[in-house]
Amino acid sequence: MKDIMNAPFITEMRKTTANMYRLGWDERNGGNISYLLEEKEVLTYLDGTNVLRTIPLGFDATMLAGKYFVVTGTGKYFKNVEDAPEMNLGVLRIAKDGQNAELLWGFADGGKFTSEFPAHLMSHMARLSVDPENRVVMHCHPTHTLAMNYVHPLNEKEVTHTLWQMCTECIVVFPDGVGVLPWMLCGTNEIGEATAEKMKEFRLVIWGMHGIYGVGKTMDEAFGLIETVEKAAQVYMLTAHLPRVNIIRDDELQVLAEAFGVKYRKDFLG
Ligand code: 13P
Ligand code: ZN
């Protein structure tokens, strides 16, 4: 058995959480990541028959039965993952019954998966139904994205349009736009179901006055989506109170999308 501390997926989780912390997206225990792993890879590091604990999910994840994830723990600080991955991360398998998680490694102090696991697993299910290669669900609290929530109308069309206008490459990076949910109680199956519903259409979903979700085939894709939104939101917040002298017009956004050959939400222009 190889040493899991050398597993590329653990290294990725350590580096990504550290990056996100440094960017100010994950204060205290804010934020969570879940990463769908290949069974073949996991079983070179861990004995799949050695289940340390079985933890109830509280919702049905039958569609993911037998799938392996590495996930951040509830109440755990992103700032601490890099130095103590075994305490702050867990590797688990969704049990055959789809009702439980079987812990194979991690959460060494008796902890468990993030309180947002319903939103994560439901989002994985929704994304896999439209993109069988999706592997990563990422949630965080980026400062400018959050700030924008308080001063800008919170609907998909207006949020997406404004973000597209803030940096030339936005429409190329997220031509599918940004889904938006109103403020809702977090950590519940209800917000999980609402998020998953949006995920059928979007790779980015804003949780009103809370934060954002990004998904992707790789950690880079999910991270890059959130990073691009956050950059655009920062430009918006730096300029929202100033007279607008120049603007990227809708016909220019259209030219951009066409030049890069992306399928964009035409209904979000105009
Ligand atoms: P967890 O500590 O349970 O992951 O919760 C953090 C968070 O961001 C809640 O939305
Ligand atoms: Zn949160």
Side-chain angles (χ1 to χ4, degrees), residues 99-125:
Q99 308 300 316
N100 293 285
E102 298 170 331
L103 183 67
L104 299 175
W105 176 85
F107 301 145
D109 61 354
K112 62 180 264 187
F113 46 74
T114 171
S115 61
E116 305 298 1
F117 215 30
H120 280 252
L121 288 194
M122 291 177 198
S123 293
H124 277 285
M125 295 189 247

Side-chain angles (χ1 to χ4, degrees), residues 30-32 116 139 141 207 210:
N32 19 78
E116 305 298 1
H139 165 63
H141 308 155
W207 277 8
H210 179 141

Side-chain angles (χ1 to χ4, degrees), residues 126-246:
R127 284 312 298 173
L128 288 169
S129 69
V130 292
D131 175 6
E133 288 180 36
N134 192 82
R135 309 191 78 79
V136 177
V137 174
M138 184 180 281
H139 165 63
C140 56
H141 308 155
T143 312
H144 303 92
T145 305
L146 197 47
M148 186 177 168
N149 280 211
Y150 293 89
V151 297
H152 189 281
L154 261 186
N155 66 73
E156 280 148 10
K157 181 174 172 164
E158 287 177 84
V159 167
T160 301
H161 188 246
T162 297
L163 293 172
W164 281 351
Q165 285 183 320
M166 293 301 114
C167 307
T168 291
E169 294 191 359
C170 279
I171 196 169
V172 180
V173 175
F174 53 94
D176 41 348
V178 181
V180 176
L181 288 177
W183 184 91
M184 290 176 77
L185 182 61
C186 54
T188 62
N189 287 350
E190 288 68 32
I191 201 167
E193 284 154 11
T195 308
E197 198 49 43
K198 293 288 179 197
M199 287 291 182
K200 292 177 186 165
E201 208 180 328
F202 300 102
R203 291 172 300 153
L204 285 157
V205 177
I206 284 177
W207 277 8
M209 278 81 71
H210 179 141
I212 191 163
Y213 272 73
V215 300
K217 295 176 178 56
T218 61
M219 202 67 88
D220 270 357
E221 184 184 352
F223 185 93
L225 284 167
I226 293 175
E227 187 178 33
T228 308
V229 165
E230 173 61 0
K231 176 65 168 272
Q234 182 172 10
V235 175
Y236 175 76
M237 292 308 297
L238 285 170
T239 56
H241 56 295
L242 301 171
R244 188 61 52 81
V245 179
N246 299 305

Side-chain angles (χ1 to χ4, degrees), residues 61-101:
T62 306
M63 196 188 138
L64 298 171
K67 300 274 192 220
Y68 294 76
F69 292 89
V70 58
V71 60
T72 52
T74 184
K76 301 301 186 191
Y77 294 23
F78 271 29
K79 111 182 145 57
N80 296 338
V81 174
E82 192 168 27
D83 289 338
E86 196 165 359
M87 213 65 91
N88 297 289
L89 303 176
V91 174
L92 49 82
R93 178 175 57 213
I94 307 304
K96 278 199 190 77
D97 62 7
Q99 308 300 316
N100 293 285

Side-chain angles (χ1 to χ4, degrees), residues 33-49:
I33 306 177
S34 60
Y35 188 2
L36 173 60
L37 306 172
E38 296 280 4
E39 177 172 50
K40 205 163 55 161
E41 191 181 14
V42 175
L43 298 186
T44 62
Y45 299 100
L46 298 171
D47 174 1
T49 64

